[in-house]
Amino acid sequence: MFLWLSDGRDKKTPEQFQDVSQGLKKLYRTKLFPLEDTYQFHDFHSPSLEDADFDNKPMVLLVGQYSTGKTTFIRHLMEQDFPGMRIGPEPTTDSFIAVMHGDQDGMIPGNALVVDPKKPFRKLNAFGNAFLNRFMCAQMPNPVLESISIIDTPGILSGEKQRISRGYDFAAVLEWFAERVDRIILLFDAHKLDISDEFSEVIRALKNHEDKMRVVLNKADQINTQQLMRVYGALMWSLGKIINTPEVVRVYIGSFWAQPLLIADNRKLFEAEEQDLFQDIQGLPRNAAIRKLNDLIKRARLAKVHAYIIISLKKEMPSVFGKENKKKELIANLGETYLKIEREHQISPGDFPKLKKMQELLAGHDFSKFPTMKPKLLEAVEDMLANDIARLMTLVRQEEAAMPSQAVHGGAFEGTMSGPFGHGYGEGAGEGIDELEWVVARDKPSYDEIFYTLSPINGKVSGAAAKKEMVKSKLPNTVLGKIWKLADVDKDGYLDDEEFALANHLIRVKLEGHELPGKLPEHLVPPSKRHQEIDMGE
């Protein structure tokens, strides 16, 4: 159990929390929720949070147009079908499906799901039956789902199909999920890359959550290298126009299913990209507490700005006559109100809600009923951001140190963890790892020719002599210094013929684009040194 001390100024007894989740819940209930409730934050931005929002496992949201491979991607991760799964070239997933861990296979329909206090979906009730009839939970015993939950979404429509109303606000539902998930994966089909109007609208709705967003260019094995380069460039150009930020979204290229590659030219690229994406997903449980803390901070900053907007609008309202005209005037000049609040309270422009959306929402409210300034509520949130969050961050670090390393296990994550099909196995510094012969011996005769031109004394060359030869590689001194440290196995400041050959082997490894090992692997230790009990280097 960790002690989290309260601020010394209030002289209260130190509060005790079992974990970070409990601390976040307490902060939200006692300091942030009263401000949200008073200034109608939930009507404008986001429903109130519940305990399940802080307790739930990390969630991954998959978004993409139909037939980009969202459902297949989930099946690939879990290596198992899930209840309600349908795969096809046309729009087959017409529902939001929360794929979660359960003791038995089963389906929970949306209306039953939103009344379960243990699930983080209760506030989805606000989207009505049209949505709830298209929402369900697929439960199953799967090791991947012990660490994360995955949200499958309906395929985003294009062409004439997107003109047909879904009966609920699709972009708003995705934005609700985006606020609560840990990772948003946008899937694109490399074979037929287009971004429909509805998909553009969805991406813009997710714009405030770019830190969670990753892009997957799927089915990349269906096109050759030249076509892939063109598709990748077109995708980056299209995303740049929609997201409109200088930062580049991380794009993973590959074919995320368990079928043979149609065009295997880029196999190594696909393997490296898949490994990077898997590592990103595997890190979600470890970073879940930080993500929830970060989301609470973002929410608190928005709630504080929202309160200032409501207070400012209330202050400008006449007490008796002309209320409606004044309301229209204030909505039209909302941008000026933003600037005034920004100057008065030193608030960053990026903390304000979108102007157009805020104007639309304000049109349906009676400004005369808005509350006036309540300094204590604002001070509580300021204190939370300035003091409480910093202490809770310390608790997060303590919890991480006390807990074993958390990662997603099972399914596709196990396939490349170890063994000969692990990423990078037998490549670079790992070359020759399972061979009986010392791998450096293959090229040692050519290295020996160079070695004996350096006039070795007692079978060894000095650092100065070796340096003249090693710098011909044009590698920076920082890299050559590390190679020297790895190659000087006996740490005597000289290199014998085997150590010199090892140094040249490591130079080749680096020149071929591989990373150097942190310490010398056992299979690279020269045969004459293997009997010695020596430090292999850091």
Side-chain angles (χ1 to χ4, degrees):
M1 180 181 292
F2 298 101
L3 276 179
W4 182 46
L5 297 176
S6 63
D7 194 323
R9 292 174 301 171
D10 56 18
K11 305 298 182 188
K12 290 181 181 176
T13 305
E15 295 186 76
Q16 283 190 316
F17 294 110
Q18 296 290 338
D19 50 35
V20 174
S21 177
Q22 188 184 22
L24 288 168
K25 284 186 273 191
K26 181 94 180 226
L27 274 183
Y28 178 72
R29 283 195 303 266
T30 60
K31 295 199 171 182
L32 183 52
F33 178 77
L35 180 79
E36 291 182 353
D37 191 47
T38 301
Y39 292 103
Q40 304 174 30
F41 178 86
H42 308 131
D43 295 337
F44 285 85
H45 303 289
S46 175
S48 61
L49 299 177
E50 298 197 332
D51 286 355
D53 290 309
F54 297 103
D55 294 333
N56 68 298
K57 295 170 186 171
M59 292 194 290
V60 178
L61 176 69
L62 294 182
V63 182
Q65 295 179 174
Y66 71 89
S67 192
T68 52
K70 295 185 299 298
T71 306
T72 304
F73 182 87
I74 297 174
R75 200 215 170 282
H76 178 59
L77 288 186
M78 301 193 305
E79 294 184 341
Q80 185 182 351
D81 291 351
F82 59 88
M85 184 185 92
R86 289 171 61 215
I87 296 173
E90 275 299 301
T92 47
T93 303
D94 60 351
S95 303
F96 283 81
I97 303 177
V99 187
M100 308 181 82
H101 189 267
D103 295 331
Q104 295 179 336
D105 286 12
M107 299 283 292
I108 304 174
N111 280 289
L113 198 55
V114 295
V115 296
D116 185 349
K118 294 181 180 178
K119 296 282 193 299
F121 305 124
R122 282 163 61 92
K123 296 298 179 178
L124 282 169
N125 191 51
F127 291 101
N129 271 333
F131 165 71
L132 295 178
N133 291 335
R134 291 281 179 264
F135 180 45
M136 62 193 71
C137 175
Q139 288 190 314
M140 58 189 297
N142 184 283
V144 173
L145 301 177
E146 290 176 5
S147 305
I148 59 172
S149 300
I150 307 172
I151 311 296
D152 193 9
T153 61
I156 294 170
L157 306 175
S158 59
E160 278 299 316
K161 300 184 189 75
Q162 65 186 326
R163 302 179 193 278
I164 304 168
S165 173
R166 294 180 185 268
Y168 60 90
D169 192 335
F170 182 69
V173 172
L174 283 177
E175 193 168 4
W176 185 95
F177 275 109
E179 286 180 15
R180 289 156 177 81
V181 300
D182 297 70
R183 188 65 75 236
I184 303 166
I185 297 180
L186 298 178
L187 277 97
F188 292 86
D189 185 340
H191 197 245
K192 50 177 192 291
L193 180 66
D194 67 325
I195 300 180
S196 67
D197 293 344
E198 187 177 33
F199 201 7
S200 298
E201 182 188 350
V202 164
I203 295 172
R204 290 191 183 97
L206 303 176
K207 191 174 183 298
N208 291 335
H209 308 283
E210 288 156 346
D211 56 321
K212 302 177 181 181
M213 204 180 291
R214 303 290 184 270
V215 173
V216 169
L217 185 57
N218 199 17
K219 304 185 182 181
D221 66 318
Q222 297 184 9
I223 55 179
N224 62 36
T225 304
Q226 185 181 27
Q227 291 170 324
L228 182 59
M229 289 174 65
R230 289 176 177 168
V231 167
Y232 179 80
L235 174 62
M236 297 305 291
W237 182 80
S238 300
L239 287 174
K241 284 182 65 180
I242 298 170
I243 299 177
N244 196 27
T245 59
E247 296 84 8
V248 178
V249 180
R250 176 66 166 97
V251 178
Y252 299 90
I253 303 169
S255 187
F256 294 89
W257 66 340
Q259 299 298 320
L261 300 175
L262 291 179
I263 301 174
D265 297 355
N266 298 301
R267 181 188 187 100
K268 292 191 78 169
L269 169 67
F270 299 161
E271 287 173 356
E273 293 284 281
E274 183 177 68
Q275 188 72 13
D276 286 351
L277 179 59
F278 282 3
Q279 287 177 353
D280 185 68
I281 295 173
Q282 283 184 295
L284 295 179
R286 186 173 58 253
N287 302 319
I290 285 288
R291 195 276 303 169
K292 287 171 185 173
L293 186 62
N294 183 58
D295 282 357
L296 188 69
I297 295 169
K298 282 166 63 176
R299 188 182 179 97
R301 290 165 71 96
L302 178 59
K304 189 177 69 169
V305 171
H306 173 79
Y308 283 130
I309 294 170
I310 297 299
I311 291 163
S312 181
L313 295 175
K314 171 68 175 179
K315 197 186 296 183
E316 296 292 327
M317 286 298 288
S319 54
V320 183
F321 300 110
K323 291 182 181 180
E324 196 57 36
N325 288 335
K326 186 63 177 177
K327 173 183 169 180
K328 290 178 182 177
E329 180 189 328
L330 289 170
I331 291 175
N333 298 325
L334 188 61
E336 294 175 16
T337 304
Y338 278 17
L339 289 172
K340 182 181 172 186
I341 294 169
E342 187 183 326
R343 286 193 300 268
E344 279 184 19
H345 302 284
Q346 290 78 51
I347 294 171
S348 167
D351 287 351
F352 285 82
K354 291 176 185 173
L355 183 63
K356 187 176 179 182
K357 184 179 178 183
M358 193 67 182
Q359 287 172 322
E360 291 172 359
L361 291 168
L362 284 168
H365 285 77
D366 184 350
F367 288 14
S368 62
K369 292 182 179 177
F370 283 165
T372 53
M373 170 75 85
K374 299 191 186 306
K376 286 187 177 180
L377 294 178
L378 287 160
E379 285 168 12
V381 173
E382 289 284 4
D383 182 60
M384 182 186 91
L385 291 170
N387 301 300
D388 299 328
I389 293 295
R391 295 193 208 93
L392 199 53
M393 182 71 78
T394 303
L395 182 60
V396 169
R397 298 303 178 203
Q398 289 177 331
E399 256 191 23
E400 285 179 347
M403 293 171 68
S405 178
Q406 292 180 301
V408 182
H409 294 287
F413 297 101
E414 300 297 324
T416 57
M417 291 293 286
S418 59
F421 294 98
H423 180 64
Y425 186 91
E427 300 173 6
E431 184 183 356
I433 191 170
D434 48 11
E435 295 179 17
L436 294 175
E437 184 186 359
W438 187 40
V439 67
V440 181
R442 297 176 192 168
D443 299 312
K444 190 171 181 293
S446 60
Y447 298 145
D448 283 348
E449 289 180 18
I450 302 169
F451 177 77
Y452 288 110
T453 65
L454 301 177
S455 305
I457 300 171
N458 297 325
K460 295 189 175 188
V461 295
S462 66
K467 179 180 178 181
K468 288 179 183 177
E469 185 62 34
M470 291 171 70
V471 295
K472 292 179 182 178
S473 67
K474 298 182 181 179
L475 289 170
N477 282 350
T478 51
V479 175
L480 292 175
K482 184 173 183 181
I483 290 172
W484 172 271
K485 192 176 181 183
L486 291 167
D488 184 14
V489 179
D490 53 15
K491 305 298 180 236
D492 65 351
Y494 294 87
L495 299 182
D496 62 21
D497 62 318
E498 287 184 332
E499 290 173 326
F500 183 78
L502 174 59
N504 280 276
H505 178 79
L506 292 172
I507 286 173
R508 181 174 67 80
V509 165
K510 189 62 182 174
L511 290 175
E512 289 177 351
H514 301 286
E515 291 302 317
L516 294 172
K519 67 176 185 177
L520 192 65
E522 289 183 18
H523 72 280
L524 288 183
V525 178
S528 65
K529 306 287 193 297
R530 291 180 182 177
H531 66 282
Q532 300 175 24
E533 291 292 329
I534 49 179
D535 179 13
M536 297 297 182
E538 293 300 323

